[in-house]
Amino acid sequence: AQSVTQPDARVTVSEGASLQLRCKYSYFGTPYLFWYVQYPRQGLQLLLKYYPGDPVVQGVNGFEAEFSKSNSSFHLRKASVHWSDWAVYFCAVSMDTGGLSGKLTFGEGTQVTVIS
Amino acid sequence: EAAVTQSPRSKVAVTGGKVTLSCHQTNNHDYMYWYRQDTGHGLRLIHYSYVADSTEKGDIPDGYKASRPSQENFSLILELASLSQTAVYFCASSGGGANTEVFFGKGTRLTVV
């Protein structure tokens, strides 16, 4: 069965500094990978998604992620963090069955705190 | 804009009571999902549906039933609520296919006492 691991439960970053959030996946087959963000008391919003192709994908609000098959990783990056990036970030994987794109397996999330 | 609406947004239920959480989507999506989120954890799939009048079990279906009376509506039913079912529940919809976005509702915070 597939699984997703986010090794960092909490990350604190200064406003304007760079951010990297780690994600490791375990999946037999072609993974479809996602990063979601959850703001307080809100649902999840899609930041970016990876489908087989270019390993670096661009998302909203300056986020990007890089897929590595050899490392089974899909790390999220942002060059300069803004206070509004204070949120919980989830990495997720979906089956490549051609359907059921919402049948996702999530990591446990990383709480990002932004300090001035 | 794609929309998934959940009701109620929060609920307090008594142990052993029946709870129904409702979800309505206006996205014209075939697929709908119910997830559960526990504090400090990611979401886990409870039930899903790809057509009206049919539901499927997800990864953690025990203690839950689901109902899809129409394409737009998808309910999650707790026949006998238990303390361990205290969590935030999210509904989602998608158009199907690996290349379609999933839209989430804002969640229902359920507290069982």
Side-chain angles (χ1 to χ4, degrees):
Chain A
Q2 65 261 34
S3 66
V4 176
T5 302
Q6 294 179 245
D8 304 309
R10 296 180 179 276
V11 170
T12 299
V13 60
S14 297
E15 192 171 13
S18 63
L19 173 70
Q20 176 170 285
L21 303 182
R22 297 183 291 165
C23 173
K24 299 274 285 184
Y25 69 90
S26 173
Y27 183 69
F28 181 76
T30 303
Y32 294 84
L33 295 157
F34 307 83
W35 276 100
Y36 284 87
V37 60
Q38 184 180 31
Y39 300 106
R41 305 271 177 177
Q42 298 291 314
L44 276 68
Q45 300 173 29
L46 182 67
L47 277 179
L48 48 78
K49 58 188 176 185
Y50 167 80
Y51 298 126
D54 190 335
V56 178
V57 292
Q58 304 295 323
V60 298
N61 299 332
F63 285 95
E64 69 172 26
E66 184 166 4
F67 169 74
S68 171
K69 186 174 182 179
S70 60
N71 294 324
S72 297
S73 67
F74 188 54
H75 300 330
L76 181 71
R77 301 188 294 250
K78 186 170 184 178
S80 178
V81 168
H82 188 262
W83 68 266
S84 60
D85 295 323
W86 189 320
V88 181
Y89 293 79
F90 291 99
C91 183
V93 64
S94 177
M95 300 185 298
D96 63 339
T97 62
L100 291 171
S101 58
K103 201 175 176 202
L104 299 163
T105 297
F106 285 86
E108 294 195 345
T110 298
Q111 170 70 60
V112 172
T113 300
V114 182
I115 59 175
S116 58
Chain B
E1 168 129 343
V4 178
T5 304
Q6 295 182 232
S7 62
R9 292 294 313 278
S10 67
K11 183 174 181 63
V12 178
V14 177
T15 301
K18 182 177 181 178
V19 177
T20 300
L21 307 182
S22 299
C23 179
H24 178 81
Q25 56 106 350
T26 58
N27 307 323
N28 198 32
H29 285 163
D30 288 328
Y31 297 82
M32 296 188 74
Y33 312 82
W34 276 106
Y35 284 89
R36 161 182 178 148
Q37 183 181 33
D38 295 283
T39 302
H41 293 279
L43 281 67
R44 291 180 290 171
L45 183 64
I46 306 170
H47 284 286
Y48 62 97
S49 168
Y50 52 85
V51 68
D53 295 322
S54 177
T55 63
E56 305 292 333
K57 294 180 179 180
D59 298 324
I60 54 165
D62 293 345
Y64 302 94
K65 289 173 55 179
S67 174
R68 182 94 181 269
S70 63
Q71 185 193 41
E72 298 81 14
N73 295 294
F74 191 36
S75 298
L76 185 68
I77 303 153
L78 290 65
E79 294 279 4
L80 295 170
S82 66
L83 295 175
S84 64
Q85 293 177 311
T86 293
V88 180
Y89 292 84
F90 288 97
C91 179
S93 75
S94 71
N99 198 23
T100 59
E101 185 170 344
V102 182
F103 294 90
F104 286 84
K106 293 188 176 182
T108 295
R109 184 173 297 274
L110 175 65
T111 302
V112 182
V113 298

